[in-house]
């Protein structure tokens, strides 16, 4: 029997290090290669560093703090450019190859657009690559750019003002990288069926994919949730407010229903000022909040609306379901929702479908209550630990296949 020994390469603390933590607990983690990771008591006292902690012992971790700080600085000032992501992955490449050689690992687990610099060497070392495709293939969004250009043009926004040309160039670079990664990967982990379907539509064999939903750890104090009937419905958008995440659609819905509901935006505004100034008249921009502040705010909200055109499996949906919000989301958001039971799903770009879904929720407190209660129950099946356990199971199943 082939026992898996896995090196994980990961930039940042995504999913609270769920994958390397699960592999460490299972005894099959060779090394964890990352940029930011702390184990000292000091980091527990510094708010900005607290999320970069796990129970993984230092002897299992190879980290590059300098590149981690530099990468986050670049993201702040070079947002929308591809080269900072390439810088971050190249900074970890040498340590990852070293970890594979030292541990004799037979599997490298990594994440899309961050593995390409080392894949030729990894393949030569007879180490199998498992790639987690965290977001739908960029080609899917590239194909939507002409439609978005038409929509912003109808609002009197020129192509130079929209920034869509810059977005297209960014997506094309990342698309080329991820397609090269798919060819060199033995298994691709998809966080939703939407991602898998987009991959197979681009020629990736379905047998090369596995769907593993994400999860969050939130204890909801909102079930059964009290939906006030004597105030406006409170609607939230959470995340980077961008074309990709359906910013235009959200603002259009807000313009139509703002007399009945409050529409809030929690997160960074990723649209050019000229675009946002024409869209934001019916929305309340709240800005970026800490996770603690955000969850405290969301407990007072009724609905999450996410009309995204391209996601992997948006974690904010898991979070809002756990908090008892009714989630109205696009199919492209990659959720675990059963439409009509614990939320509502519509097709991205289908304005009529989105409006109808919202009207159903707006007009029925009993529907909101039943969906809220069902959402909380669904969230209990999708935690960080259950996500990690599913990854471990997929790796063990993959390893058994290597014996044949």
């Amino acid at each position: 029997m082939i026992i898996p020994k896995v090196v994980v390469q990961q930039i940042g603390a995504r999913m609270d290090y769920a994958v390397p933590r699960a592999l460490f607990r299972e005894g099959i983690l060779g090394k964890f290669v990352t940029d930011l990771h702390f184990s000292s008591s000091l980091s527990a006292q510094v708010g900005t560093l607290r999320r970069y902690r796990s129970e993984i012992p230092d002897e299992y971790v190879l980290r590059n703090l300098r590149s981690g700080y530099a990468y986050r600085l670049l993201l702040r000032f070079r947002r929308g450019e591809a080269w900072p992501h390439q810088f971050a992955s190249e900074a970890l490449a040498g340590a990852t190859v070293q970890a594979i050689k030292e541990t004799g690992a037979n599997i490298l687990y990594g994440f899309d657009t961050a593995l390409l610099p080392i894949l030729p060497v990894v393949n030569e070392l007879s180490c199998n690559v498992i790639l987690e495709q965290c977001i739908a293939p960029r080609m899917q969004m590239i194909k939507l750019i002409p439609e978005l250009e038409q929509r912003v043009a109808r609002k009197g926004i020129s192509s130079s003002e929209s920034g869509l040309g810059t977005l297209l160039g960014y997506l094309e670079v990342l698309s080329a990288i991820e397609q090269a990664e798919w060819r060199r990967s033995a298994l691709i982990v998809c966080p939703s069926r939407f991602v898998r379907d987009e991959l197979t539509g681009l020629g990736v064999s379905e047998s090369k994919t596995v769907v593993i939903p994400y999860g969050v750890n939130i204890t909801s104090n909102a079930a059964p949730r009290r939906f006030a009937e004597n105030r406006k419905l409170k609607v939230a958008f959470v995340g980077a407010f961008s074309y990709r995440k359906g910013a235009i659609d959200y603002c259009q819905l807000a313009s139509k229903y703002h007399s009945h509901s409050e529409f809030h935006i929690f997160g960074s505004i990723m649209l050019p000022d000229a675009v946002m100034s024409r869209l934001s008249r019916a929305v309340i921009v709240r800005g970026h909040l800490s996770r603690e502040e955000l969850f405290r705010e969301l407990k007072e909200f009724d609905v999450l609306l996410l009309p995204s055109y391209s996601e992997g499996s948006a974690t904010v949906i898991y979070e809002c379901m756990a908090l008892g919000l009714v989630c109205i989301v696009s199919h492209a958001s990659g959720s675990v929702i059963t439409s009509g039971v614990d939320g509502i799903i519509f097709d991205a770009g289908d304005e009529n479908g989105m409006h109808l879904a919202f009207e159903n929720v707006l007009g029925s407190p009993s529907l909101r209550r039943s969906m809220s209660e069902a959402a909380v129950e669904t969230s209990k099946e999708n935690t960080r630990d259950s996500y990690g356990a599913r990854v471990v199971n997929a790796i063990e199943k993959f390893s058994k296949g290597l014996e044949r």
Side-chain angles (χ1 to χ4, degrees):
M1 176 180 177
I2 296 178
I3 298 175
K5 180 167 284 189
V6 188
V7 167
V8 177
Q9 178 185 294
Q10 175 179 314
I11 297 169
R14 68 175 310 281
M15 298 291 164
D16 301 322
Y17 303 113
V19 170
R21 284 173 53 239
L23 297 177
F24 170 71
R25 288 196 298 265
E26 200 65 24
I28 59 175
L29 178 67
K31 286 286 184 181
F32 175 39
V33 183
T34 187
D35 51 0
L36 295 185
H37 184 274
F38 302 92
S39 58
S40 69
S41 58
L42 174 63
S43 66
Q45 307 302 319
V46 181
T48 54
L49 301 181
R50 196 172 298 139
R51 69 183 296 249
Y52 297 105
R53 285 172 51 84
S54 76
E55 76 274 19
I56 303 172
D58 282 345
E59 57 264 31
Y60 283 86
V61 181
L62 294 175
R63 63 182 185 176
N64 189 331
L65 297 180
R66 182 179 297 177
S67 74
Y69 292 130
Y71 175 55
R72 280 144 191 84
L73 191 64
L74 288 171
L75 288 182
R76 181 174 297 180
F77 296 103
R78 295 291 185 178
R79 191 174 289 275
E81 297 183 28
W83 71 267
H85 305 295
Q86 296 169 282
F87 160 80
S89 60
E90 289 170 359
L92 299 182
T96 300
V97 172
Q98 173 190 340
I100 293 170
K101 290 179 177 178
E102 290 182 354
T103 63
N106 50 19
I107 294 174
L108 169 64
Y109 192 104
F111 303 85
D112 65 277
T113 71
L115 286 184
L116 185 59
I118 60 169
L119 289 187
V121 177
V122 172
N123 293 151
E124 287 178 3
L125 293 172
S126 299
C127 184
N128 298 279
V129 177
I130 298 180
L131 175 75
E132 186 166 314
Q133 183 71 29
C134 304
I135 192 170
R138 275 74 177 183
M139 183 58 68
Q140 181 254 347
M141 191 64 194
I142 288 171
K143 293 176 180 178
L144 290 171
I145 294 292
E147 177 186 335
L148 290 172
E149 288 176 329
Q150 292 176 6
R151 294 185 69 181
V152 297
R154 288 197 293 268
K155 294 184 176 296
I157 300 168
S158 68
S159 57
S160 59
E161 289 177 311
S162 72
L164 284 167
T166 301
L167 174 61
L168 177 60
Y170 169 77
L171 292 171
E172 287 175 337
V173 172
L174 295 185
S175 178
I177 292 172
E178 65 186 1
Q179 289 184 57
E181 290 175 334
W182 303 339
R183 289 191 290 271
R184 290 184 176 271
S185 298
L187 181 68
I188 303 175
V189 175
C190 306
S192 65
R193 289 190 297 274
F194 172 71
V195 173
R196 182 191 62 191
D197 292 345
E198 290 297 320
L199 280 169
T200 57
L202 291 171
V204 176
S205 171
E206 185 173 332
S207 63
K208 194 177 179 177
T209 66
V210 60
V211 176
I212 301 178
Y214 292 148
V216 298
N217 291 341
I218 296 177
T219 301
S220 173
N221 298 319
R225 192 177 183 86
R226 295 181 179 179
F227 288 101
E229 299 180 31
N230 58 349
R231 62 161 170 78
K232 288 184 174 182
L233 207 68
K234 297 186 75 171
V235 183
F237 176 101
V238 183
F241 199 64
S242 61
Y243 291 120
R244 176 175 68 84
K245 287 183 176 285
I248 296 175
D249 307 69
Y250 186 82
C251 288
Q252 286 179 335
L253 190 79
S255 297
K256 182 174 180 179
Y257 294 101
H258 69 274
S259 60
H260 304 286
S261 308
E262 290 181 4
F263 290 83
H264 297 243
I265 300 170
F266 294 95
S268 303
I269 304 299
M270 305 299 292
L271 300 178
D273 292 343
V275 177
M276 192 62 193
S277 64
R278 302 189 194 191
L279 295 177
S280 62
R281 293 166 189 155
V283 298
I284 302 168
V285 179
R286 304 293 299 275
H288 180 78
L289 304 180
S290 70
R291 284 173 62 85
E292 293 79 8
E293 292 171 328
L294 176 62
F295 294 155
R296 191 161 51 246
E297 287 282 343
L298 288 176
K299 287 181 179 180
E300 304 301 320
F301 276 69
D302 305 293
V303 174
L304 170 76
L305 180 67
L306 185 62
S308 184
Y309 285 81
S310 183
E311 299 282 348
S313 184
T315 54
V316 67
I317 300 174
Y318 295 87
E319 292 165 345
C320 286
M321 291 178 77
L323 292 170
L325 278 73
V326 175
C327 297
I328 304 174
V329 305
S330 65
H331 173 63
S333 296
S335 74
V336 292
I337 287 172
T338 301
S339 192
V341 177
D342 49 10
I344 301 180
I345 298 174
F346 61 92
D347 289 330
D350 179 5
E351 293 181 28
N352 291 334
M354 178 176 65
H355 288 210
L356 180 60
F358 185 74
E359 287 174 359
N360 288 340
V361 169
L362 177 65
S364 177
S366 63
L367 178 64
R368 298 200 298 271
R369 189 173 300 110
S370 67
M371 285 188 173
S372 169
E373 293 170 357
V376 171
E377 291 304 309
T378 298
S379 72
K380 295 175 182 177
E381 302 170 7
N382 295 281
T383 65
R384 286 283 195 261
D385 287 344
S386 64
Y387 160 62
R390 291 168 187 150
V391 170
V392 169
N393 289 338
I395 289 173
E396 290 177 342
K397 183 177 179 180
F398 172 78
S399 296
K400 289 179 182 178
L402 296 178
E403 299 173 16
R404 295 194 291 270

